[in-house]
Amino acid sequence: MADLRERWKRDRLTAAVYDLGVQSYPVAWAGGRALWGYEINRLWKSVGELAGTPDDSVVLDLPCGGGTSFRALSRGRRLRYVAADLSETMLDRARAQAAGRSLGQVRFVRTDAGSLPFADASFDLVTSFNGLHVFADPAGAVAEFARVLRPGGTLRGTAVVTGERRRGDLLVRALRLTGTFGPAGSADDLESWLSPHFDDVEIETAGSVAGFSARRITP
């Protein structure tokens, strides 16, 4: 899936249009319902849970996109927060968001989810909102998330899944052809990626989107 990675590395227009749509509530609400049968408030609720992350936690947000999750952060929080993405365009937009919100605790890293430049057990929390379906190797990305999480740490996110709605499946196929989506997978596939590395796995589908959370298995 080299072409997929290169697309997200270099395609500034796709990244900018996607981020504008997600950051605009009316667009995200209408697009979520029309394209995926999904209420965008579900995403914002999950993102909002970041506000309850204990101080001094180490958090990885990948893909951070244009800083979608920053709305749940507040100035002065003692979080060590790493915002990572493959797209330099997304990182530029996220940097602007962080500066506008005075979030000095955010560090930015450009990386591929399949090969993270972090040591084992580096993070207390990994979030991956709207990410797995655009990764070239979602199972490999989940394994990397598990590697960098400390035992007992949490993975939380959302992903487009197949097998829930015909319209959603057709759209996934079309986006694969454009080089925008990766192989994606069903909710069962998502569980199979998580279960070797995590317990307390919870997956809830709404339309063609699955919200998930899981706890890193403690040896």
Side-chain angles (χ1 to χ4, degrees):
M1 284 274 181
D3 289 347
L4 175 65
R5 293 188 178 98
E6 289 303 313
R7 173 75 181 266
W8 282 106
K9 277 184 182 179
R10 304 180 187 281
D11 190 339
R12 299 180 66 86
L13 180 61
T14 298
V17 169
Y18 171 83
D19 185 52
L20 284 169
V22 171
Q23 299 284 6
S24 167
Y25 181 82
V27 174
W29 181 86
R33 286 177 61 90
L35 299 176
W36 308 113
Y38 181 66
E39 294 287 350
I40 197 66
N41 287 339
R42 289 177 175 268
L43 173 62
W44 301 142
K45 180 180 178 181
S46 188
V47 166
E49 291 175 4
L50 277 168
T53 306
D55 279 342
D56 299 317
S57 296
V58 189
V59 180
L60 173 62
D61 175 7
L62 195 167
C64 68
T68 305
S69 296
F70 295 173
R71 66 187 61 207
L73 304 180
S74 57
R75 192 181 331 182
R77 286 291 309 278
R78 295 195 311 274
L79 295 178
R80 286 179 285 169
Y81 194 100
V82 177
D85 207 291
L86 185 60
S87 167
E88 191 63 46
T89 299
M90 289 298 198
L91 288 171
D92 286 344
R93 297 177 74 89
R95 289 185 186 100
Q97 279 275 358
R101 295 174 181 271
S102 300
L103 300 176
Q105 70 269 47
V106 180
R107 179 166 70 96
F108 296 92
V109 176
R110 188 181 189 188
T111 184
D112 183 351
S115 182
L116 299 177
F118 309 116
D120 295 357
S122 298
F123 296 93
D124 301 295
L125 171 67
V126 173
T127 64
S128 186
F129 295 110
N130 295 343
L132 293 179
H133 53 270
V134 298
F135 294 160
D137 178 11
V142 169
E144 276 291 271
F145 292 158
R147 180 184 67 78
V148 302
L149 269 170
R150 65 169 178 77
T154 300
L155 170 65
R156 188 164 66 243
T158 59
V160 171
V161 291
T162 57
E164 301 296 325
R165 296 174 78 242
R166 184 171 181 273
R167 179 182 297 181
D169 290 353
L170 291 172
L171 185 55
V172 167
R173 288 181 202 142
L175 291 168
R176 284 174 181 159
L177 291 175
T178 68
T180 305
F181 268 34
S186 66
D188 287 342
D189 291 326
L190 175 58
E191 184 172 14
S192 75
W193 303 334
L194 292 167
S195 58
H197 315 285
F198 296 90
D199 53 20
D200 295 337
V201 174
E202 296 183 5
I203 298 172
E204 182 178 1
T205 58
S208 293
V209 178
F212 58 90
S213 64
R215 186 172 63 88
R216 180 70 171 98
I217 290 173
T218 303

